[in-house]
Every structure is written in structure tokens, then in C-alpha cells.
Amino acid sequence: MRPIIFSKMDISHCNLFGYIEDLQELTVIERPVRRSLKTPEEIERLTVDEELSDIERAVYLLSSGQDIQGTSVVANLPVLMRQNPAETLRRVLPKIREVLHVAGVEMQLTAAVSFLTVLQEESVSIHTYSHSFLHIILQNLEHRDAGVSNAWLETLLAVIEALPKETVRHEILNPLVSKAQLSQTLQSRLVSCKIMGKVANKFEAHIIKREVLPLVKSLCQDVEYEVRTCMCRQLEHVAQGIGTELTKTVVLPELVELARDEGSRVRLAAFETLVNLLDMFDADDRSQTVLPLVKSFCEKSFKADESILVSLSFHLGKLCNGLYGIFTPEQHLWFLEFYKKLSTLGLQQENGHNDNQMYLQTLEQEKKYISVRKNCAYNFPAMIVFVDPKNFNLELYSIFFRLCHDPEVPVRYTMAISFFEVAKLLNSDVYTIHKELVTLLHDKSLEVLDALVGHLPEILELMTNGGENSGSESKLLSIPDLIPALTTAEQRAAASLKWRTHEKLLQKYACLPHIISSDQIYYRFLHRMLTIILTNNVLPVQKAAARTLCIYLRYNRKQEQRHEVIQKLIEQLGQGKSYWNRLRFLDTCEFIMELFSKSFFCKHFFLPVLELTHDPVANVRMKLCCLLPKVKSTLRIPTDKHLLQQLELCIRKLLCEEKDKDVLTIVKRTVLELDRMEISVDAFQKRFYENDLLDQEKERQEHLLLEMEQLEKKKQKNEGRSTSINDKMFEKKRRDSKTLSVLAKSMNLSVSGSSSGTSADKEEKKSKLVRSQSFSTQVLHPKYSNIDKCPNKSSATGHTSSVSGMGKSFMLSFSDDSFRTHSAGNSENAAFPSSSSLNLFNSADQKNNGNKESKSQKMSIKNRKSNS
């Protein structure tokens, strides 16, 4: 058969005919629009005199207007009640009552909502409301339309809570006796069931026993399964109203009978009510009555409708923990196996093969099976409690693995949400599920990743520091898997269109300095954050990356890396070609002012920020002017007097040279704000007390990072020397522990500062060095605190003893956004070095320290020889 080939002329004719058909369709669509225009007679009928008051207009529209106008008046009823309640009740409400007899569904639904709004707004007293509105509600309660009837029922149930007992008894409960009879309609009996549940909590137990319970029993034995199901679900509210004793003697027998009902929906309702009432039954009732009944229901559930399995899987966790303590070992094992069977429902076929004729699953069945497995994932933390976390590996790990690898997204999504709860329950054994964490981080669905990210900082902290019994080796093994998974997750989020997930992920990644080492963050995450700021097009994502980058910079332990990042921020953002990058530089500076000390910002970013006053783009200058008050607040007098002069000079230039009207307006407003600002002085001032303490604490921690870096360099040198010594010298040094401990102390003093000065200065710098060791081992990466120790046992002992002695005096609790000090009292008495001590570790000082170190070593060796 030869293919049909169209020429260009044929195609053009086809397109032409297509355009003509489209035009014809447009004309057809346009005709009904013209016909729908109102005629002059219709407009006349819809026109209302403007001089009428609101009440008169409402009465007129309800009397002679159209349905849509009447519905508008009913919707406006709460407003009329607020403005003029007396006239509304006297003239408008009777008209509404008349109209509702013949009104359509829309007006009925609107009236039900308006009546409920009037009740909630308390426009009139409850006595007046019950006298005027209650009869209208009761009259429309049995409307032939189920939606309208349910709307009026919801309004009535809300009214019952507010009405006094006597009114409920005379107006609602007494007529209910006749409405609940078998001679009434099905809709009337269903309404009676729901009212029973609400009324049961309104009266005392003896009134309920005498007047309510006979109706309850009658409705539980109704011939229609819909009525029995509805009343069964209301038994929970009835039980709460009558108390434990009557529940045991009256409600429980009814539930037992309903649980054996021929209707599957009735049995399901009885099962759910039993689970919800477990706390009201004593141990004997639970073991002798409830447990056999529930077990029988579970055994028959696989032969029944799949919807029963959905409900059963949802309530199984609550059921198992509610009956915990009365299970025999066999029953405990049976329910555990039943849960395992539900968690794999729909994933495997019996006898290990697929028989398309016998086990062909419809789409509806597949959806229900997915819901069952999803409910199993939801109940997984409860099942861990049921089997005891100690038995997790033996009993539940295989199920946990399957649920995390389930082919359906809703199941994995639920596991991601509950992952944190599982990790908390496992405690010291949390490292056993790190592979599943990596799996969920690699998940193809971003919904799963978004669910996991919610508690990611807490999960990672538990993974890396979970439990005293978990060895450091097992915790460290999870890090090589986690870091690639975290980077892959971020890249997938960045490549998607779901920027909110990406933003959330970047915000949560701010916890990483508390989880992994500074070098790992620098090489795997820090530069990635800078790339996102430079290349991403979504502003919230850029800001999240900027803040996280500032936190990484705040806890970076190497001065060379910090300077490199600072330089890139200034050159690529602050001096970037795109004005968008320069705007992000100002955002980054705002985060730096929040996270770092004032001296740090003034040293590195103050002048680059002021350079943007000459920016050619007005938006950049405008944003800078809004930021200037915060910039000025970082200054201290007289230390930063020259920076203050530079700031004043830039403001004068903006006032004199600025041509953009919007920028000039903001400049003038900023000048007034700057004039009112007070600058903190180096001396102590009460009005800046809290801010100064916080800033001094930040500055002290920044100095400790510098000291810690020098300490690590010294340790690396000592490790290099120790490896070159032969075995005999190594054993000899181990025996001479006293001499080596003295040598370690002298080395510590030489690192902390120069040897010249008083003994008090030496002691202060020694304490600073010890605090830096504590900061190193407890704050930045506690997992690697054992790695940095020297191989020499005696010197390592000297270090660790000093660390343990001072460790309690300084600890940080790191969070996503910032840090807090646990020892606030110690911060007031701590030594805060001045900004000049930032130059403590220049090359000249290092040479002096090296010479003094060699001298101290020679002296210690001479002393040792003389002693020997």
C-alpha cells in the first residue's frame, strides 16, 4: 500500500479551510451571548428603587424579586443582623421563612450557612436565636435533597452546643422520639442518629440512661444497614456521655452484636468504634471480649472488601498498642505477621507466580492496595513500639526496607515523613537505617525528598551522634554515603521546577557544620552555594543559599579558605557585572551582620558595601540606602572612627550627586534615621549591654577558630615528627610521661601567644587555648575529636585532660539559623580579645613561636639527660 503524500498546495488549502471552520465556530459561540442579553422588560423587573433602606429592599426582593435576588438577601442576613437586629427579626426573617418552603437548593444552602454565621457572631442572645431561628432549622432538616439536609444538620449540631439544656430537651430531644421510629423515612432516622451522638454529651448520665439509651438501642437494631452503621459510629460519643460503667453494660454488648452484623460496613464501623473506645474498657473486657472479636475481624478481612483492609491497616497501630500487655506470645506474633502481610499487599502473588486469569487486579483494587501499604508506613513507628526497638533488626527491618523501596510514591512519601520518628525510637541503633536514608535522598520523586527534608537536621544529627552504645566506627561509616546523597538531592531539586523544595533543602543544609567536617563542607557544599547565588534565577533560593553559605563561612576552620570565600563574595558578587549579583551581595552582607561579629564585618565588608554608593543602577543604590542603618550599627567609636567618616562622606555624595528621585527620597529618609542612631562605644554602656555581650561572644568564637587552626598545625607537625622516630625512642617517650606532659604544656603556651609578658597574661592565654580545644572537640565536628589526637599517649593524655576540664565551661548548641550559648553566665566573665588580636598569627609571630618552641624542647631534653 503506497503512502499518501500531500503537496504544499494541499496543505495550504487544508489550513485555509481550517481557519474558515474556526471562524464559523466563533460565530456560533457568539450568538448565544447576544441572545443572553437582558431585554428592557427584564431590566425593569430587576431594578430596585435606590431610596429604599436595606430592610425595605430586603423585604421587597424576598416578596417580588427573582430567586437570585432572594439568595443575595439571605446571604446578606448576618450583615442585616449586625446593623439592625430588631427590624431584621421582625420583617426580614418571616419573609425568609416563607420563601424557604419553595426555595431551590442554592438558597437553602445559603440560608444554612447564614443561620450558622449569625449564631457564631452572637448578634442576638441565645434565647432570641432559639425562639426565631431554631424552628426554621428544624423544619428544613428533612429536605428531600441530601446535601441540603446535611447542611441544615450541621447548623443544628452547632446550635445544640450553644442551647441551654431545657431548650434542647423540649425542642429537640422530645420530638426525636417520634422521628427515630421505623415508620419514619430513612433520612429522618439517619438524622436522628447524628443528633443522638451530639445530645449524649449535653445531659447527665441518668437522663441519658432513661431517655437516650432506649432510642440508641432501637436505632442499633434498625432494619436498614445505613442506620445501623450511622448509629454505630455515634456510640463513641454516647459512651463518652454515659461514663465507663454504662459503657461496659450497655454500649459494649451492642458493639459486639454489631461486629457480627451481616453488613460489612456495619462490622467495619463497629471495629473502628471498638478501637476508639479501648481506653474505656478494663483489662478483662479487652482480653475476653475485644481481643477475640478484633482477631476474628482481622482473619476475615482478606476475604471481604478491600475497603475494610484500608480501614484496618489505618487503625492497626492504635489497636496493637491499645491491647498491649494482654497479648500472649502467640497472639503477639500473630498480629505482627498480620501487619507484615498487609505491608506487602499487592506486591507479590501467591505461590510465587502470576495467574492473569485468577489474580488480575483492577485499577480500583490497586489503589486500595496502595492505600493499605501507605497506612502500614504511617503505623510503622507504632509497630516499633509494639515489638520493642531492641527487636527492630530481627522483626521489622525487612518491612522497613520494603516500604522505603516501595514502587508507589505515596508509600515512600509516608515513610519519609515518619523517618524521624523511627530514628528517635531506634536511638543507639539508628545507624542501622542509614542506607534507607540514602535511598530516600536518592528518590526519584521530589515529593519524597520534600517530606524527608522537613526533619533532615534532626535525622542527620541522630545518624552521626545517635546513642552512647553506637561505636564511632559505625557512625563514621555513614558519612561517605550521606555526603554524595546530599549533593545529589540538592542537584535534583535545583534541576526541577519546584523551587520551594530547593529553598527548603538549602535552608536545612545549614545544619551541616554540626554534622560533618569543615573540609567536607568546603569542598562539597560551600562552592555549590556560591554557584547557586550566581546562577539561579529564583530570589528565595538565592537568599537561602546566601544564608547557608554565611553559616558555612562562620564555622570554617581554615583562615586561608575563609579569605578565599570572602574575596570571591566581594569580586563575583559585590563587583559583579550583573546588578542582580550586586543586589545579592547586599543580601549576603545582611546575613553576615547577623551571624558574625561587628569587627569581622567592618574588617572585610564595610568598605566594599560603601563602594556600591557609586553603582550605576538605581535599584542597587536604593537597596544600599535601606541597608545603611544596619551598616552603621556595626561601628564602634573610637576604633572605627575612620569608617564612620567614610560612611558620612558617601552619604554627602549621595545627597549632592543623586539624580534619581526615588533613590534621593530614600536617602533623605535614611539620613534622618542615621542621625537618630547611637553608636556603641568601646567602653561599657548599659543601653548596649545585651548586644555588646552577644557581639563579644561572636568575636571570641572567631578568635577561637584562629587559635584552633594554629593548634591543629602544631599537632600535624608533632605527628610528622613522631612517625620518623624509631620504635625504641617511641617506647622510651611513653615511659617518660611526666617530661612529655610538661613539654606539651610549654608547646600550648607558645601557640597561644608570645612568651613575653606577666604570668597572668600567660595563664589567660593558656585558658584561651584550652577553650579552643574544647570548641574544637565539641562544636564543629564532634565525630572526629578522636582523630586529631597525637599518637603519643602521654601527650594525648595531657591534651584530653585539659579539654575535659574546661569542656563544660563552653559549649555551643548549633541550629539551622544561628547558635546559642548554653553557659550564659560564663560569657560575662570570659576574656574578650580586642580586634588587634586578629593579627596574632602573622608570619613574624609564627617564627618567634617556632624559635621559642625549639628552645623549650632543647631545655626539656637537657633536663631529662641530667635527671637520667
Side-chain angles (χ1 to χ4, degrees):
M1 187 174 180
R2 298 179 62 184
I4 300 174
I5 302 174
F6 293 98
S7 63
K8 293 183 179 180
M9 184 63 70
D10 295 329
I11 295 176
S12 62
H13 280 301
C14 292
N15 290 337
L16 180 60
F17 292 138
Y19 295 145
I20 294 174
E21 291 176 359
D22 292 339
L23 291 174
Q24 290 175 348
E25 289 178 1
L26 288 174
T27 57
V28 172
I29 295 172
E30 190 177 3
R31 285 171 192 164
V33 175
R34 290 176 180 174
R35 290 173 183 173
S36 66
L37 295 176
K38 301 297 181 183
T39 63
E41 292 79 8
E42 290 174 333
I43 294 174
E44 183 66 25
R45 287 200 304 268
L46 292 171
T47 303
V48 182
D49 188 1
E50 295 181 359
E51 295 181 359
L52 294 176
S53 65
D54 292 340
I55 299 296
E56 292 173 345
R57 184 183 298 110
V59 173
Y60 173 77
L61 292 175
L62 288 171
S63 302
S64 59
Q66 296 187 1
D67 288 343
I68 189 172
Q69 292 174 317
T71 303
S72 176
V73 172
V74 173
N76 200 43
L77 180 63
V79 179
L80 295 175
M81 288 295 299
R82 289 195 296 268
Q83 294 175 352
N84 195 344
E87 285 297 308
T88 303
L89 292 175
R90 188 176 68 88
R91 299 182 62 186
V92 179
L93 194 60
K95 286 291 182 181
I96 293 177
R97 184 173 186 173
E98 293 176 5
V99 171
L100 286 177
H101 283 294
V102 293
V105 173
E106 186 176 357
M107 185 180 291
Q108 289 276 355
L109 295 175
T110 306
V113 174
S114 295
F115 281 27
L116 182 59
T117 305
V118 172
L119 173 70
Q120 293 171 345
E121 292 181 353
E122 299 179 355
S123 302
V124 292
S125 65
I126 191 62
H127 176 74
T128 304
Y129 186 91
S130 62
H131 178 73
S132 303
F133 290 87
L134 184 58
H135 292 288
I136 303 177
I137 296 173
L138 293 174
Q139 284 176 0
N140 295 278
L141 197 60
E142 297 181 22
H143 196 275
R144 60 183 178 275
D145 186 272
V148 173
S149 178
N150 289 330
W152 284 112
L153 178 61
E154 293 298 324
T155 302
L156 178 62
L157 296 179
V159 171
I160 289 175
E161 293 183 357
L163 290 176
K165 294 181 181 178
E166 290 303 317
T167 304
V168 174
R169 188 170 184 178
H170 292 293
E171 300 293 338
I172 299 175
L173 186 57
N174 291 340
L176 200 63
V177 176
S178 61
K179 297 292 184 182
Q181 301 302 318
L182 287 174
S183 59
Q184 297 294 323
T185 63
L186 175 63
Q187 182 67 25
S188 177
R189 302 203 301 275
L190 289 174
V191 169
S192 299
C193 292
K194 295 180 180 179
I195 294 176
M196 287 292 179
K198 182 63 68 172
V199 169
N201 293 320
K202 194 73 178 178
F203 299 103
E204 292 78 7
H206 66 278
I207 298 178
I208 299 174
K209 182 178 180 181
R210 185 175 67 251
E211 299 184 13
V212 176
L213 287 183
L215 294 176
V216 169
K217 291 182 178 180
S218 174
L219 292 170
C220 285
Q221 298 171 2
D222 196 277
V223 295
E224 299 291 341
Y225 78 91
E226 294 98 332
V227 179
R228 299 197 302 273
T229 303
C230 185
M231 194 63 246
C232 185
R233 296 190 183 279
Q234 298 301 320
L235 286 179
E236 179 182 352
H237 305 292
V238 174
Q240 294 172 355
I242 62 179
T244 306
E245 292 299 325
L246 285 175
T247 299
K248 180 178 180 180
T249 57
V250 178
V251 175
L252 184 57
E254 292 295 333
L255 282 175
V256 172
E257 186 175 352
L258 291 170
R260 297 165 181 162
D261 195 275
E262 59 184 7
S264 61
R265 294 185 181 180
V266 181
R267 295 197 303 270
L268 179 60
F271 167 77
E272 293 177 354
T273 305
L274 277 171
V275 173
N276 293 330
L277 291 177
L278 279 176
D279 295 336
M280 299 191 69
F281 302 137
D282 55 24
D284 292 337
D285 290 334
R286 281 184 285 177
S287 60
Q288 297 175 9
T289 306
V290 178
L291 180 57
L293 199 64
V294 167
K295 186 178 178 183
S296 174
F297 180 80
C298 294
E299 289 173 346
K300 298 176 182 178
S301 60
F302 280 98
K303 300 178 182 178
D305 186 14
E306 288 83 1
S307 59
I308 293 180
L309 291 175
V310 174
S311 178
L312 180 58
S313 60
F314 180 77
H315 291 90
L316 190 60
K318 186 177 181 180
L319 173 67
C320 290
N321 286 279
L323 296 175
Y324 189 80
I326 66 172
F327 286 121
T328 62
E330 293 79 12
Q331 292 170 338
H332 189 281
L333 181 61
W334 188 92
F335 275 94
L336 179 59
E337 293 298 325
F338 181 73
Y339 172 77
K340 291 180 180 180
K341 191 174 182 179
L342 288 177
S343 64
T344 57
L345 190 65
L347 296 180
Q348 57 187 4
Q349 300 295 334
E350 296 180 9
N351 301 324
H353 67 276
N354 244 338
D355 190 345
N356 292 329
Q357 296 179 353
M358 295 180 61
Y359 303 110
L360 183 61
Q361 297 176 356
T362 64
L363 183 61
E364 192 65 27
Q365 283 179 323
E366 186 63 28
K367 289 181 180 178
K368 290 179 180 178
Y369 290 158
I370 294 171
S371 299
V372 169
R373 299 200 304 273
K374 178 184 175 182
N375 291 336
C376 289
Y378 167 77
N379 283 307
F380 195 86
M383 297 307 296
I384 293 180
V385 177
F386 179 66
V387 302
D388 196 313
K390 296 179 181 178
N391 300 322
F392 171 78
N393 283 334
L394 183 63
E395 301 290 351
L396 288 177
Y397 177 75
S398 59
I399 300 300
F400 183 76
F401 177 84
R402 290 182 182 179
L403 291 174
C404 289
H405 291 80
D406 195 275
E408 300 298 330
V409 172
V411 181
R412 303 197 305 273
Y413 175 85
T414 308
M415 286 304 298
I417 290 178
S418 60
F419 198 95
F420 175 54
E421 295 297 327
V422 173
K424 283 196 302 183
L425 289 171
L426 292 179
N427 195 9
S428 60
D429 295 329
V430 69
Y431 63 90
T432 58
I433 61 172
H434 82 273
K435 293 181 180 179
E436 284 67 37
L437 174 62
V438 173
T439 299
L440 293 176
L441 285 171
H442 281 295
D443 198 277
K444 297 178 181 179
S445 173
L446 282 178
E447 295 178 3
V448 177
L449 180 61
D450 186 80
L452 187 67
V453 163
H455 289 286
L456 187 62
E458 296 87 349
I459 293 172
L460 292 178
E461 186 172 357
L462 285 170
M463 282 288 174
T464 53
N465 303 317
E468 298 178 356
N469 297 327
S470 57
S472 59
E473 295 181 359
S474 61
K475 289 189 290 184
L476 291 176
L477 286 175
S478 64
I479 296 299
D481 295 332
L482 279 176
I483 293 178
L486 291 172
T487 55
T488 303
E490 188 277 321
Q491 291 170 1
R492 283 179 45 254
S496 70
L497 297 177
K498 297 182 179 180
W499 62 265
R500 287 182 177 84
T501 300
H502 193 200
E503 177 195 13
K504 185 178 178 182
L505 194 79
L506 295 176
Q507 290 171 348
K508 298 299 182 181
Y509 276 16
C511 72
L512 291 181
H514 193 47
I515 307 299
I516 59 180
S517 68
S518 177
D519 283 339
Q520 288 171 322
I521 291 175
Y522 177 78
Y523 290 110
R524 302 300 294 271
F525 296 98
L526 195 147
H527 291 287
R528 174 61 182 166
M529 298 299 157
L530 184 59
T531 303
I532 293 172
I533 301 172
L534 291 170
T535 60
N536 198 281
N537 296 325
V538 182
L539 179 58
V541 172
Q542 288 181 312
K543 286 189 174 183
R547 182 179 179 82
T548 303
L549 183 143
C550 292
I551 293 175
Y552 291 167
L553 181 64
R554 174 71 181 81
Y555 290 93
N556 189 279
R557 298 179 59 188
K558 293 186 178 180
Q559 189 174 8
E560 182 180 351
Q561 294 177 358
R562 289 195 296 273
H563 284 313
E564 178 188 347
V565 175
I566 291 169
Q567 196 65 26
K568 285 185 177 181
L569 288 174
I570 295 172
E571 292 178 357
Q572 299 182 20
L573 288 180
Q575 300 171 1
K577 294 181 180 180
S578 171
Y579 84 96
W580 191 255
N581 289 339
R582 301 196 292 275
L583 288 173
R584 299 294 75 76
F585 176 72
L586 294 176
D587 290 332
T588 306
C589 288
E590 200 166 356
F591 295 137
I592 287 173
M593 284 186 281
E594 175 188 348
L595 297 170
F596 289 81
S597 65
K598 296 178 179 179
S599 60
F600 181 90
F601 176 79
C602 291
K603 179 180 179 182
H604 298 288
F605 293 97
F606 193 93
L607 293 178
V609 167
L610 291 186
E611 288 178 4
L612 294 179
T613 55
H614 309 289
D615 197 276
V617 179
N619 285 349
V620 178
R621 301 195 303 274
M622 193 180 302
K623 188 175 181 67
L624 172 64
C625 292
C626 296
L627 193 64
L628 285 179
K630 288 186 178 181
V631 173
K632 185 180 178 181
S633 66
T634 62
L635 297 176
R636 289 180 180 176
I637 298 300
T639 305
D640 301 323
K641 187 177 180 180
H642 64 290
L643 296 178
L644 180 60
Q645 292 173 353
Q646 293 289 332
L647 176 62
E648 293 173 350
L649 180 62
C650 292
I651 293 293
R652 290 194 192 98
K653 287 184 177 180
L654 284 172
L655 285 172
C656 298
E657 301 176 2
E658 184 57 54
K659 297 179 181 179
D660 190 278
K661 294 181 180 179
D662 296 331
V663 178
L664 188 59
T665 302
I666 294 179
V667 170
K668 292 178 180 178
R669 190 189 310 158
T670 304
V671 168
L672 295 176
E673 188 176 352
L674 290 173
D675 289 339
R676 290 193 297 266
M677 285 183 61
E678 296 184 11
I679 304 178
S680 60
V681 186
D682 288 342
F684 175 79
Q685 291 176 297
K686 287 186 177 180
R687 60 180 179 273
F688 300 118
Y689 177 73
E690 293 183 0
N691 292 333
D692 286 347
L693 275 184
L694 181 60
D695 184 67
Q696 288 172 348
E697 186 65 28
K698 292 178 183 178
E699 189 173 351
R700 183 167 72 95
Q701 292 163 10
E702 291 164 7
H703 291 320
L704 290 177
L705 284 172
L706 294 174
E707 294 175 356
M708 192 165 46
E709 183 182 359
Q710 297 298 322
L711 180 64
E712 289 181 352
K713 289 181 180 179
K714 296 297 180 182
K715 284 183 178 180
Q716 291 175 0
K717 290 182 181 179
N718 293 338
E719 289 175 359
R721 292 174 183 173
S722 63
T723 54
S724 62
I725 300 174
N726 56 25
D727 296 337
K728 292 182 180 180
M729 290 296 295
F730 182 74
E731 292 296 329
K732 188 176 181 181
K733 286 186 178 182
R734 286 184 60 186
R735 289 192 300 268
D736 197 5
S737 59
K738 293 183 179 180
T739 307
L740 284 176
S741 62
V742 174
L743 179 60
K745 292 181 180 179
S746 64
M747 288 170 62
N748 290 340
L749 289 174
S750 65
V751 171
S752 62
S754 60
S755 59
S756 61
T758 61
S759 60
D761 294 333
K762 291 182 179 180
E763 288 297 322
E764 179 182 356
K765 294 178 179 179
K766 179 180 177 182
S767 64
K768 283 168 55 181
L769 181 57
V770 173
R771 287 197 304 275
S772 72
Q773 291 176 329
S774 176
F775 185 82
S776 171
T777 56
Q778 296 181 9
V779 178
L780 293 175
H781 49 90
K783 304 180 296 304
Y784 295 96
S785 58
N786 297 326
I787 295 178
D788 294 336
K789 293 181 181 179
C790 298
N792 190 307
K793 292 186 178 180
S794 59
S795 61
T797 305
H799 284 295
T800 54
S801 62
S802 62
V803 171
S804 62
M806 295 296 293
K808 296 180 180 179
S809 65
F810 181 76
M811 283 188 69
L812 286 178
S813 177
F814 185 84
S815 63
D816 293 351
D817 299 328
S818 59
F819 55 88
R820 300 183 182 92
T821 55
H822 287 305
S823 54
N826 294 336
S827 62
E828 297 180 6
N829 301 325
F832 301 108
S834 62
S835 58
S836 60
S837 63
L838 283 169
N839 300 323
L840 182 66
F841 301 107
N842 54 23
S843 58
D845 289 339
Q846 291 176 4
K847 291 180 181 179
N848 294 334
N849 291 339
N851 295 333
K852 290 167 185 173
E853 179 187 350
S854 60
K855 289 180 181 180
S856 62
Q857 288 178 352
K858 290 179 181 179
M859 292 296 295
S860 61
I861 293 172
K862 288 181 180 180
N863 293 333
R864 188 173 60 189
K865 288 182 178 180
S866 62
N867 292 333
S868 61

